[in-house]
Amino acid sequence: MYFPYLKGRQYELLAIRELLSKNLLSKKIIPIIEPIKISSTLLSTLETASSLKREIAVICNSNITTGFNINDTSEVDKEYLEILKNKNIIKVFFLYKNLEKTLKVYQDNKIFEDISEIMIICDNADYVEEYQKNFTNKKPKYTLIPNENRFKRNIKDNTILLDDKFEKKERNSDYLLNEDEFFSDDHLYYNEDGYKGFSDYSIIGKKFIDGGFAPYAVVIHMLYFDNKKNLRVHHFVSDSNYDIKDPANKFYEALKKLIDFNEKYSLGKTKAMQNLRNYFAHGDYPGLGSIKKISLSHHLELIGSFLDEEKR
């Protein structure tokens, strides 16, 4: 099982919603969404998953979620809470001190009934003991942990490997220094290593940066399998990176490199790749958000195809 960890930006939510709607997301993939805010796009994405009876996970106690308080809710927040009650939406909680108080609030509001329904993220070594304190009798459905001994020795039930695979650069043009690099082999060895599944931050990275700015360079991050089925990431970067003018031309420069690369080393047969070929053929520029959405969609389609084929 693969659990892509997404920050709930607009393009990430749209990617998930579109993949679900078009039946392009493998059932062996359960997206984890850490909401930035309770937006209409978040609600529609969760509603789409619920209507299709597909599992999706939502982090309930994130410190990046703004404008939401379970005890003081607006009409939008009430709608959100009603959607959260759906059994196909896995409620996720970061492990920290006094977590039992937060869990009780959500149980009292009937967001979930039993500990065995929830997912826990334990990525802080200081809180490992809190796991034993909260989950001695009943274990969570899944617990995400780093591949480190302190976590593995103390948390052994239904564990999911969590790691940040993406080497995020300060500037897009910095990717020119290393255009092709190893990404991950967790999909090959997670079961052998004793995990029920694996999780990463896709081509986005763990670090959350709110807002954005017009870039000097346009980059398209695309994952692909090498001949040993390792995942690699190639960064296709524009050339005219002297100012912020003409992003459409910068996109075309990066896309031309992608098309040429794909002819020599296949990036995989996905709907996202088909969209990129169409943009190249027609000279279309979809905008920076859509480029990120396509890169993410490609990754999820690619790994989903691998997982589906693996079990046949």
Side-chain angles (χ1 to χ4, degrees):
M1 293 291 292
Y2 175 46
F3 298 80
Y5 189 132
L6 309 175
K7 292 294 185 182
R9 296 177 182 86
Q10 179 86 348
Y11 73 86
E12 296 166 86
L13 295 171
L14 291 175
I16 295 299
R17 190 178 71 187
E18 185 175 295
L19 290 171
L20 285 170
S21 299
K22 296 182 178 180
N23 196 28
L24 294 172
L25 189 69
S26 167
K27 292 182 179 179
K28 296 182 175 67
I29 295 179
I30 300 177
I32 300 172
I33 297 173
E34 184 174 11
I36 298 170
K37 61 180 180 179
I38 312 306
S39 66
S40 59
T41 308
L42 173 65
L43 296 178
S44 65
T45 301
L46 298 180
E47 286 171 346
T48 297
S50 298
S51 66
L52 295 172
K53 295 181 170 54
R54 292 293 305 274
E55 285 191 310
I56 192 168
V58 178
I59 298 176
C60 296
N61 63 341
S62 167
N63 60 11
I64 72 167
T65 306
T66 60
F68 173 73
N69 183 334
I70 192 171
N71 294 314
D72 182 19
T73 54
S74 67
E75 288 303 313
V76 172
D77 292 338
K78 289 177 181 177
E79 183 181 355
Y80 171 61
L81 290 175
E82 282 303 310
I83 295 173
L84 277 187
K85 292 177 182 178
N86 190 288
K87 293 292 186 181
N88 291 309
I89 298 178
I90 303 172
K91 275 59 77 173
V92 189
F93 297 88
F94 285 109
L95 190 61
Y96 55 59
K97 290 187 183 301
N98 300 318
L99 175 64
E100 64 272 15
K101 294 180 180 179
T102 300
L103 295 179
K104 185 178 186 306
V105 171
Y106 276 81
Q107 281 186 297
D108 289 347
N109 281 274
K110 303 187 186 308
I111 305 303
F112 71 91
E113 295 178 2
D114 192 80
I115 291 298
S116 62
E117 301 172 20
I118 69 173
M119 184 185 296
I120 292 296
I121 298 175
C122 183
D123 58 358
N124 187 326
D126 287 336
Y127 297 148
V128 167
E129 281 78 10
E130 290 293 315
Y131 181 86
Q132 305 297 339
K133 176 182 174 183
N134 284 275
F135 308 115
T136 300
N137 298 319
K138 287 190 175 181
K139 306 299 182 184
K141 185 180 181 74
Y142 302 109
T143 301
L144 276 67
I145 62 171
N147 192 27
E148 299 174 16
N149 286 336
R150 174 160 171 76
F151 296 93
K152 293 168 71 175
R153 282 194 295 261
N154 292 280
I155 304 174
K156 299 180 180 179
D157 299 286
N158 305 321
T159 54
I160 307 299
L161 172 60
L162 174 62
D163 195 11
D164 187 3
K165 302 294 184 180
F166 189 69
E167 295 289 336
K168 196 171 184 65
K169 307 297 184 185
E170 186 175 342
R171 301 171 302 177
N172 283 349
S173 58
D174 291 340
Y175 291 105
L176 286 167
L177 300 175
N178 189 13
E179 294 178 283
D180 193 279
E181 55 191 326
F182 177 84
F183 184 79
S184 178
D185 59 4
D186 287 348
H187 55 287
L188 298 173
Y189 302 112
Y190 73 92
N191 195 27
E192 180 181 320
D193 291 340
Y195 295 100
K196 297 291 185 182
F198 60 101
S199 178
D200 58 45
Y201 301 85
S202 187
I203 44 82
I204 300 159
K206 180 178 181 178
K207 186 178 181 180
F208 173 65
I209 301 174
D210 195 10
F213 54 88
Y216 277 65
V218 168
V219 58
I220 309 171
H221 307 290
M222 295 293 282
L223 287 157
Y224 69 99
F225 289 115
D226 66 16
N227 56 11
K228 294 183 179 180
K229 288 297 181 181
N230 297 304
L231 270 178
R232 298 188 64 83
V233 59
H234 198 100
H235 313 286
F236 301 96
V237 188
S238 58
D239 295 314
S240 56
N241 305 326
Y242 313 110
D243 53 38
I244 63 173
K245 296 178 181 178
D246 204 354
N249 182 62
K250 294 176 190 291
F251 170 65
Y252 183 84
E253 292 172 348
L255 185 56
K256 176 66 166 59
K257 292 181 180 181
L258 186 155
I259 297 298
D260 292 343
F261 183 91
N262 187 56
E263 290 181 0
K264 296 180 181 179
Y265 314 97
S266 175
L267 291 165
K269 296 179 180 179
T270 64
K271 180 66 175 176
M273 269 301 303
Q274 181 181 325
N275 289 337
L276 288 171
R277 286 193 293 267
N278 289 339
Y279 290 141
F280 184 74
H282 299 108
D284 295 333
Y285 171 56
L288 293 177
S290 291
I291 296 170
K292 294 175 181 178
K293 184 187 80 169
I294 288 171
S295 294
L296 175 60
S297 297
H298 173 75
H299 178 201
L300 299 184
E301 285 186 76
L302 197 67
I303 200 69
S305 296
F306 172 85
L307 293 173
D308 287 341
E309 186 66 29
E310 182 186 38
K311 300 300 181 184
R312 288 179 183 174

